[in-house]
Amino acid sequence: MKKYDYIFFDLDGTLTDSAEGIVNSVVYALERKGVPYANKQELRRFVGPPLHDSFRDYCGFSDEQVKETVRIFREYFTEKGIYENSVYDGVKEMLDSLCRAGRTLAVATSKPESMSVQILEKFGLAGYFEKICGATLDGSRSKKADIITYLLQCAGDTADAIMVGDTAYDVIGAKAHGMPAIGVSWGYGKVEDMEKAGAAGI
């Protein structure tokens, strides 16, 4: 594989293990809305995809119901869930090595941008990234392809860029820009789904 000067990273499931906080926030929201669920394991499907899409698909909610459920989700997440999170082993060393090798790093995540900055600052990772780009709180920018568009607009000339993430959403979002993607196997997505979506490597 060729050398890439710009490396865009997903956040949840790629740099940090945020499943506990996200799932607990989903439980809080579903219970407040009176929506039944089988178990917490089932709710791991909420980790990775845009939150608005997940609540719509899982609950069959209207747009207004989705907005209200996301608001309830964030009541728990901003107080507790955001801290129920940890950095994967080896991530800091990897980022340090890439920066010392002269690579430019950025984050492209479906998590709201303000929360993403807060998490990366908490774990001492924010300084590795030239840009941290995420979703808007109102959901108007939530799909990975749109977030990468936003990142490319912020970052300027990134012809030699590659996306790194843990789900097919990352691969599909990168391909929308003619950008290759590397899938990581330790996150929440399935390797076969990333391969099927066209990941350049795992």
Side-chain angles (χ1 to χ4, degrees):
M1 186 175 287
K2 63 175 285 188
K3 171 185 172 181
Y4 291 92
D5 293 323
Y6 293 86
I7 306 174
F8 299 166
F9 284 94
D10 175 49
L11 179 55
D12 294 336
T14 302
L15 301 177
T16 68
D17 184 359
S18 55
E20 180 185 0
I22 292 173
V23 169
N24 286 343
S25 301
V26 171
V27 167
Y28 176 83
L30 294 181
E31 290 181 348
R32 283 276 303 274
K33 296 294 289 184
V35 176
Y37 60 93
N39 51 60
K40 283 190 173 183
Q41 184 64 30
E42 176 185 89
L43 302 180
R44 287 177 68 90
R45 65 192 291 174
F46 281 81
V47 184
L51 196 57
H52 289 73
D53 293 354
S54 294
F55 276 121
R56 183 195 63 224
D57 297 343
Y58 186 83
C59 304
F61 281 169
S62 67
D63 288 344
E64 284 304 312
Q65 288 173 312
V66 166
K67 288 178 183 178
E68 172 65 10
T69 309
V70 169
R71 185 192 66 76
I72 296 170
F73 169 97
R74 287 181 179 149
E75 287 179 359
Y76 182 95
F77 189 80
T78 55
E79 288 290 323
K80 297 180 180 179
I82 195 169
Y83 302 113
E84 296 170 335
N85 197 347
S86 61
V87 180
Y88 285 113
D89 290 343
V91 162
K92 285 187 177 181
E93 293 81 358
M94 172 190 68
L95 297 176
D96 187 63
S97 176
L98 289 170
C99 286
R100 284 190 286 104
R103 307 300 198 275
T104 300
L105 311 183
V107 170
T109 174
S110 293
K111 184 183 290 296
E113 187 170 305
S114 57
M115 296 179 186
S116 301
V117 171
Q118 186 177 346
I119 289 167
L120 291 166
E121 287 179 344
K122 166 184 165 56
F123 289 125
L125 300 180
Y128 289 112
F129 301 103
E130 183 177 88
K131 298 289 182 182
I132 299 170
C133 295
T136 52
L137 287 170
D138 63 5
S140 59
R141 184 179 69 239
S142 63
K143 296 187 183 303
K144 189 55 63 90
D146 295 336
I147 291 160
I148 293 174
T149 296
Y150 169 55
L151 175 51
L152 290 170
Q153 290 169 346
C154 293
D157 181 16
T158 53
D160 290 323
I162 192 165
M163 180 74 206
V164 180
D166 68 310
T167 71
Y169 294 97
D170 299 299
V171 180
I172 293 167
K175 285 183 69 178
H177 293 277
M179 182 188 301
I182 295 174
V184 302
S185 60
W186 58 79
Y188 310 125
K190 296 179 179 179
V191 168
E192 55 266 33
D193 290 343
M194 291 185 281
E195 290 176 335
K196 186 177 179 180
I202 303 293

